[in-house]
Amino acid sequence: MKIQVITLFPEMFEGVFNASMLWKAQKDTDVELATVNLRDFGLGPRKTVDDAPYGGGDGMLLMIEPLMNAVNAAKEADPKAKVLLMTPRGDTWRQSVAKQYADAGNGLIIICGRYEGYDERITSVVDQQISIGNYVLTGGEIPAMAVVDSVVRLLPGVLGGETSAEVESFVEDDETVEAPQYTRPAEYNGMEVPEVLLSGNHAEIAQWRAKNAKR
Ligand code: ADE
């Protein structure tokens, strides 16, 4: 799967794409992560990407031409890719949606909004608008990182244990989170690990975990 992120700040992705699971996924599987610098599609000698909104209002908007040209370039590299737009106005990102995109296996083109927003006409080429929650970030970069991470870890061959993505939070119904977990030592500064987890009784442990999973 190829994931292309359209952004004015490609340098923000260097750390995230080159560490831990995302780095390993690129090394060991067919996952390809790339950034597309929106500035390269800016207009005129100053590579302008933004302009004031019609009708007035605060701030600047990303212009339609650089955005559309960047999407077209990304589509050329991966014609079947689905286009996602990061915006607080989008559908809330959830585990089940991440799973749908991972299972579908199409590449993704992720557009990061910036400034006060973007020319709405870009939505004509967007398959889904995505929000990562009801709060406003300065741009779509951090949301895009969350989306990339949550999809890639569900792709075949990415996680170490075969079942690690099956026995974790939100898998069953987008609501239930895993029970608390503990590792050695069994007692730390007077804080003890629940007795049942030390018992070796798998049925009882499963029962305890089910009871302590939280909706
Ligand atoms: N851009 C700014 N805030 C956002 C959010 N909450 N989700 C997605 N994109 C955003």
Side-chain angles (χ1 to χ4, degrees):
M1 178 188 278
K2 188 178 177 76
I3 304 183
Q4 302 175 82
V5 181
I6 299 174
T7 171
L8 277 175
F9 299 94
E11 67 275 14
M12 286 179 72
F13 292 84
E14 276 165 26
V16 174
F17 283 0
N18 291 310
S20 185
M21 181 275 300
L22 290 178
W23 168 76
K24 205 160 172 302
Q26 293 170 89
K27 190 168 67 77
D28 296 345
T29 75
D30 67 354
V31 169
E32 264 181 76
L33 305 178
T35 50
V36 175
N37 192 342
L38 185 60
R39 185 67 62 189
D40 293 343
F41 298 87
L43 306 181
R46 301 191 60 186
K47 296 281 178 195
T48 305
V49 294
D50 58 328
D51 206 344
Y54 278 122
D58 283 341
M60 303 286 270
L61 305 183
L62 292 176
M63 299 161 80
I64 184 68
E65 280 171 275
L67 278 175
M68 198 63 93
N69 291 340
V71 171
N72 287 340
K75 276 254 165 184
E76 224 164 85
D78 188 2
K80 288 203 182 121
K82 297 287 176 197
V83 181
L84 307 183
L85 172 66
M86 298 298 112
T87 165
R89 297 171 58 196
D91 303 328
T92 305
W93 189 249
R94 310 173 73 84
Q95 186 68 26
S96 56
V97 185
K99 181 90 172 95
Q100 278 166 22
Y101 281 108
D103 287 349
N106 296 94
L108 297 176
I109 296 167
I110 303 180
I111 307 171
C112 302
R114 267 278 150 179
Y115 303 120
E116 291 304 308
Y118 44 83
D119 188 309
E120 188 67 21
R121 289 171 287 188
I122 194 61
T123 60
S124 63
V125 294
V126 165
D127 293 291
Q128 191 172 12
Q129 300 182 40
I130 300 291
S131 162
I132 61 160
N134 290 349
Y135 43 87
V136 178
L137 296 162
T138 314
E141 281 76 11
I142 290 170
M145 290 171 196
V147 165
V148 170
D149 187 284
S150 57
V151 170
V152 170
R153 63 194 295 287
L154 295 176
L155 294 173
V158 172
L159 287 191
E162 284 294 295
T163 55
S164 13
E166 283 165 28
V167 290
E168 63 185 1
S169 299
F170 304 121
V171 164
E172 277 173 43
D173 55 7
D174 278 348
E175 309 294 338
T176 307
V177 291
E178 267 186 296
Q181 302 193 83
Y182 303 85
T183 184
R184 286 188 288 184
E187 186 256 310
Y188 176 75
N189 280 357
M191 294 180 283
E192 288 179 358
V193 172
E195 192 74 39
V196 60
L197 297 179
L198 310 175
S199 70
N201 183 328
H202 295 295
E204 277 183 25
I205 291 171
Q207 218 172 27
W208 183 89
R209 286 190 170 146
K211 201 172 115 219
N212 288 278
K214 199 161 130 195
R215 262 165 220 278

